[in-house]
Amino acid sequence: MSGEAFVTLATTDSYCMGAIVVARSLQRHGTTRSTVVMVTPNLSQQSRLALEDVFDEVITVDVMDSDDHFRLSLLGRPDLGITFTKIHCWTLTQYSKCVFLDADTLVLCNVDELFERDELSAAPDPGWPDCFNSGVFVFRPSLRTHSGLLEHALQHGSFDGGDQGLLNSFFSSWPAEDISKHLPFVYNLSGSSFYSYLPAFRQFGHNAKVVHFIGAVKPWSSIRDESSSHSMEQFVSLWWKEYLGYTTSSGAGKQQECSLTDNTPVEEEGPGCGAEEAEEAEGGACTSNVDTDPVQERGGEGNAPLRDTLTGPSSLPVHSPPPAESLRPPTEPETVSWDTNTPYLVSQLALVVKCSLTDNTPVEEEGPGCGAE
Amino acid sequence: MSGEAFVTLATTDSYCMGAIVVARSLQRHGTTRSTVVMVTPNLSQQSRLALEDVFDEVITVDVMDSDDHFRLSLLGRPDLGITFTKIHCWTLTQYSKCVFLDADTLVLCNVDELFERDELSAAPDPGWPDCFNSGVFVFRPSLRTHSGLLEHALQHGSFDGGDQGLLNSFFSSWPAEDISKHLPFVYNLSGSSFYSYLPAFRQFGHNAKVVHFIGAVKPWSSIRDESSSHSMEQFVSLWWKEYLGYTTSSGAGKQQECSLTDNTPVEEEGPGCGAEEAEEAEGGACTSNVDTDPVQERGGEGNAPLRDTLTGPSSLPVHSPPPAESLRPPTEPETVSWDTNTPYLVSQLALVVKCSLTDNTPVEEEGPGCGAE
């Protein structure tokens, strides 16, 4: 449908890998909307070409950094100031309505119904659920809104140093005004839900529509482990399948891999190799293909039937360690040093500001379900 | 106001301590509603007398346990099955509307405005924010609803083995139907918010109205530490002040302490000793008296002014360890073995099912703000 677009942002060559997965997963699930990626000028030419191969539009935007080292230190993520760049998405006035997806998300089914929502629709953040998570949101491009956001940023900064704090301050009516602007959590499902409330993840996680790899460790900086039975590791495995290429009817963006300028442990298989054909769920339901049931089901309890898993319906050990333990820490060594014609600073990149329990914290003693009270 | 009541539940002598704090904190902040505590038959006579001294009504209810060891094991809290007892609150038909408060909550200001909400109003659970947390909720007593809940429990069980899973299944329209039924998170503020999204806690935590001590470690099983500068420890300190007695105009329940039949480390000061007069905030705002700003404020950024703290406006170290590390694990040794005339089982007690990051997990390497992404 013309006039509406999914939008993402890539500010490093590594995040370019994530952006490609966003576009491919949207297209593979048959989106009728345009796909747009905003990029910063530092991307390599090869990365940019790879994006141009997958996206309908590649738009260069200025780097914008909150430079708020103080608040970013509270988050433990000094690299997130650059997420201010995201607000340039309001300048895409060639579109009447857009859905922003962080480059560290993975779309599991057709989510075009998001365009039925209006600005600003987003899912609650698990860390402080009266805030929305800014990794997935519906918005209406508008230069006036863009100016308002810039003005708000200059006057008030951001309470978390990143875009999420700014957007929550600006769209401050979100928590209490209009329930239709509360996207279901399954449109922005973060790994923390697995650890913090495992029974709910098990009950509702099979409805996941968009998975969000929050935290410092990203799929592209992690090891592919297709044999894993852990749900979040299965999502990481799905990400890799999408990146390396499903066999799909979508012809777009299949032949050119993104340039990898950093030492991410990507196995350079060709597109389509090792990937299985994803099956669409019947009746419009979303097929996450990930087992959300970590233990053997008891019979006769009226729960929703479980989906098949990529690795078969093997049960997960209740006390399996969190995935972060088997993921390598991010090794992105990029020090962007090019000149930029904006008054903002740029350091490293990461895209979102929100709760994460998947950072490599030593939670061994906790086990899944630690959040129970 | 007649016809409306705050309701809590005490199923052990230890939780009786919590219930007393609930009643006292409500009364000290001038509630005009009745206070009701439901108790199970196992409470000691001394505990019951202590409750009768503080509450307007003490009502004995049957113990009801989900006996769902399977799902409770997912939560890591096998003791939570007894929380099914909570649903007896719908039998309190002498009241037209009630607000349920778990016995591990602490009321920080007058919250009578909750009665303007309708059934079922509750705050989102940080673990899976499309679920409500069942520690604080507005409901309308009704024998029909009570029967419906019992029937639902028998037919479907609870997806988390406790009352929260049952209530979320029964009131399944909560996530998407009516924003007025989404209580602001500050009416059920859990400690996990401190760890999972520190900047939001710092921005909004000073508006806390009800603090919820989720997790296995309860204030009554923890050490009083009035010198602590950690926000959640300050809330624990506030809990102890409330338990041991503020100097207050409320005459109810000041002279008789609850019987302590377990080895909780309560310092047996007399009522009022060591407690400071709490100051009500002007303009109807809630005074949590707890500093939510862990670091020195930067000037000129338009944030809300900070409240005075109980221990003075000292700044908190950004990398202070979580409070759980200085709290003793629960030592409640109760093995309830009396006969009950219900078909349900009873084991140990705990009141709520929800996300908690405050359990004594070794999160040292994480530091506040670990949740940042």
Side-chain angles (χ1 to χ4, degrees), chain B residues 9-12 38-43 60-63 82 85 338:
Chain B
L9 170 68
T11 52
T12 67
M38 301 188 297
V39 297
T40 46
N42 55 304
L43 287 196
T60 304
V61 294
D62 290 336
V63 170
I82 200 174
T85 304
W338 77 102

Side-chain angles (χ1 to χ4, degrees), chain A residues 354-372:
Chain A
K354 71 204 63 83
C355 166
S356 170
L357 303 179
T358 61
D359 297 358
N360 46 3
T361 49
V363 289
E364 291 164 15
E365 291 305 314
E366 194 170 30
C370 59

Side-chain angles (χ1 to χ4, degrees), chain A residues 17-326:
Chain A
M17 297 171 70
I20 284 173
V21 166
V22 169
R24 283 188 179 167
S25 58
L26 284 166
Q27 290 158 355
R28 199 169 59 78
H29 294 293
T31 183
T32 61
R33 269 59 172 196
S34 299
T35 55
V36 177
V37 60
M38 300 187 297
V39 298
T40 46
N42 55 303
L43 287 197
S44 68
Q45 182 65 8
Q46 200 174 353
S47 289
R48 194 179 165 106
L49 287 171
L51 293 171
E52 287 174 356
D53 190 57
V54 182
F55 283 88
D56 295 317
E57 243 192 308
V58 179
I59 297 172
T60 304
V61 295
D62 289 337
V63 171
M64 191 160 58
D65 194 314
S66 72
D67 196 23
D68 190 344
H69 307 296
F70 168 78
R71 290 191 174 86
L72 291 169
S73 72
L74 291 181
L75 275 171
R77 294 294 303 278
D79 51 327
L80 290 187
I82 200 175
T83 66
F84 266 31
T85 305
K86 188 189 289 186
I87 71 171
H88 288 320
C89 68
W90 267 272
T91 66
L92 303 174
T93 51
Q94 62 270 47
Y95 300 101
S96 59
K97 194 190 285 185
C98 297
V99 173
F100 189 92
L101 296 169
D102 270 348
D104 56 355
T105 59
L106 171 65
V107 178
L108 300 173
C109 59
N110 187 295
V111 292
D112 284 359
E113 71 273 14
L114 284 171
F115 291 93
E116 298 167 12
R117 309 267 180 159
D118 212 338
E119 177 176 283
L120 185 292
S121 295
D125 187 283
W128 186 278
D130 277 2
C131 289
F132 58 82
N133 183 287
S134 62
V136 177
F137 60 89
V138 184
F139 69 102
R140 286 189 177 277
S142 154
L143 295 182
R144 185 173 176 178
T145 307
H146 183 248
S147 299
L149 280 162
L150 288 177
E151 180 68 18
H152 194 91
L154 288 170
Q155 284 198 352
H156 304 289
S158 161
F159 68 76
D160 65 5
D163 70 286
Q164 182 160 310
L166 170 63
L167 291 175
N168 272 276
S169 296
F170 191 81
F171 295 101
S172 60
S173 67
W174 180 86
E177 193 174 83
D178 183 352
I179 196 71
S180 76
K181 294 181 178 175
H182 285 224
L183 297 182
F185 187 52
V186 289
Y187 284 99
N188 191 352
L189 179 60
S190 57
S192 63
S193 58
F194 185 87
Y195 309 109
S196 55
Y197 196 8
L198 177 58
F201 182 87
R202 180 175 163 275
Q203 180 78 358
F204 305 113
H206 63 278
N207 292 321
K209 296 174 187 298
V210 180
V211 176
H212 190 169
F213 298 98
I214 62 176
V217 179
K218 301 302 182 191
W220 52 82
S221 59
S222 67
I223 298 166
R224 291 178 65 201
D225 180 7
E226 293 184 24
S227 67
S228 170
S229 60
H230 189 295
S231 292
M232 285 313 293
E233 285 178 341
Q234 288 183 58
F235 284 131
V236 170
S237 178
L238 268 178
W239 187 94
W240 276 109
K241 287 175 187 292
E242 197 73 70
Y243 181 71
L244 295 172
Y246 276 98
T247 302
T248 170
S249 59
S250 166
K254 302 302 300 173
Q255 300 311 315
Q256 188 164 8
E257 295 301 324
C258 182
S259 167
L260 297 173
T261 59
D262 58 13
N263 50 358
T264 48
V266 53
E267 295 165 48
E268 289 291 358
E269 299 177 21
C273 46
E276 296 154 12
E277 180 75 38
E279 296 173 272
E280 292 292 333
E282 66 287 354
C286 187
T287 304
S288 69
N289 285 319
V290 172
D291 185 9
T292 58
D293 188 6
V295 284
Q296 298 297 335
E297 182 71 346
R298 295 199 307 186
E301 296 180 319
N303 289 316
L306 299 171
R307 312 283 178 101
D308 288 341
T309 69
L310 284 170
T311 56
S314 61
S315 59
L316 298 179
V318 173
H319 291 289
S320 61
E325 295 183 19
S326 64

Side-chain angles (χ1 to χ4, degrees), chain B residues 36-344:
Chain B
V36 177
V37 60
M38 301 188 297
V39 297
T40 46
N42 55 304
L43 287 196
S44 70
Q45 182 64 9
Q46 198 174 354
S47 289
R48 194 179 164 105
L49 287 171
L51 292 171
E52 287 174 355
D53 189 58
V54 181
F55 282 88
D56 294 318
E57 247 193 305
V58 179
I59 297 172
T60 304
V61 294
D62 290 336
V63 170
M64 191 160 57
D65 194 314
S66 72
D67 195 24
D68 190 344
H69 307 297
F70 169 78
R71 291 191 175 86
L72 291 169
S73 72
L74 291 182
L75 274 171
R77 293 295 303 278
D79 51 327
L80 290 187
I82 200 174
T83 65
F84 266 31
T85 304
K86 188 189 289 187
I87 72 172
H88 288 320
C89 68
W90 268 272
T91 67
L92 303 174
T93 52
Q94 63 271 46
Y95 300 101
S96 59
K97 195 189 286 185
C98 296
V99 172
F100 189 91
L101 296 169
D102 270 348
D104 56 354
T105 59
L106 171 65
V107 178
L108 300 173
C109 58
N110 187 296
V111 291
D112 285 359
E113 71 273 14
L114 285 172
F115 290 94
E116 296 167 12
R117 309 267 181 159
D118 211 340
E119 178 176 282
L120 183 292
S121 294
D125 187 283
W128 186 277
D130 276 2
C131 288
F132 58 82
N133 183 287
S134 63
V136 177
F137 60 90
V138 183
F139 70 102
R140 286 190 178 275
S142 154
L143 295 183
R144 185 173 176 177
T145 307
H146 183 247
S147 299
L149 280 163
L150 288 176
E151 180 68 18
H152 194 91
L154 288 170
Q155 285 198 352
H156 304 289
S158 161
F159 69 75
D160 65 5
D163 69 286
Q164 182 160 309
L166 171 62
L167 292 175
N168 272 277
S169 295
F170 191 81
F171 295 102
S172 60
S173 67
W174 180 85
E177 194 173 84
D178 183 352
I179 196 71
S180 75
K181 293 180 178 176
H182 285 225
L183 297 182
F185 187 52
V186 289
Y187 283 98
N188 192 352
L189 179 60
S190 57
S192 63
S193 58
F194 186 86
Y195 309 110
S196 56
Y197 196 6
L198 178 58
F201 182 88
R202 180 174 163 275
Q203 181 78 358
F204 305 113
H206 64 278
N207 291 322
K209 297 174 186 296
V210 180
V211 176
H212 190 170
F213 298 99
I214 63 175
V217 179
K218 301 302 182 191
W220 51 84
S221 59
S222 66
I223 297 165
R224 289 178 65 203
D225 180 7
E226 294 184 23
S227 67
S228 170
S229 61
H230 189 295
S231 292
M232 285 313 294
E233 285 179 340
Q234 288 182 58
F235 284 131
V236 170
S237 178
L238 268 177
W239 186 95
W240 276 109
K241 287 174 186 293
E242 196 73 71
Y243 181 71
L244 295 171
Y246 276 98
T247 303
T248 170
S249 58
S250 166
K254 303 303 299 172
Q255 301 310 316
Q256 189 163 5
E257 296 300 325
C258 181
S259 167
L260 298 174
T261 59
D262 58 13
N263 51 358
T264 47
V266 53
E267 294 167 47
E268 289 291 358
E269 299 178 19
C273 45
E276 297 157 10
E277 181 75 37
E279 296 173 272
E280 292 291 335
E282 65 286 355
C286 187
T287 305
S288 68
N289 286 320
V290 171
D291 185 8
T292 57
D293 189 7
V295 282
Q296 298 296 335
E297 181 72 346
R298 295 199 307 184
E301 294 180 320
N303 288 317
L306 298 170
R307 313 283 177 102
D308 288 341
T309 70
L310 284 169
T311 54
S314 60
S315 60
L316 299 179
V318 173
H319 292 288
S320 60
E325 295 184 19
S326 64
L327 302 181
R328 295 182 196 169
T331 51
E332 197 165 346
E334 295 167 74
T335 305
V336 183
S337 59
W338 77 102
D339 285 334
T340 166
N341 55 359
T342 75
Y344 304 100

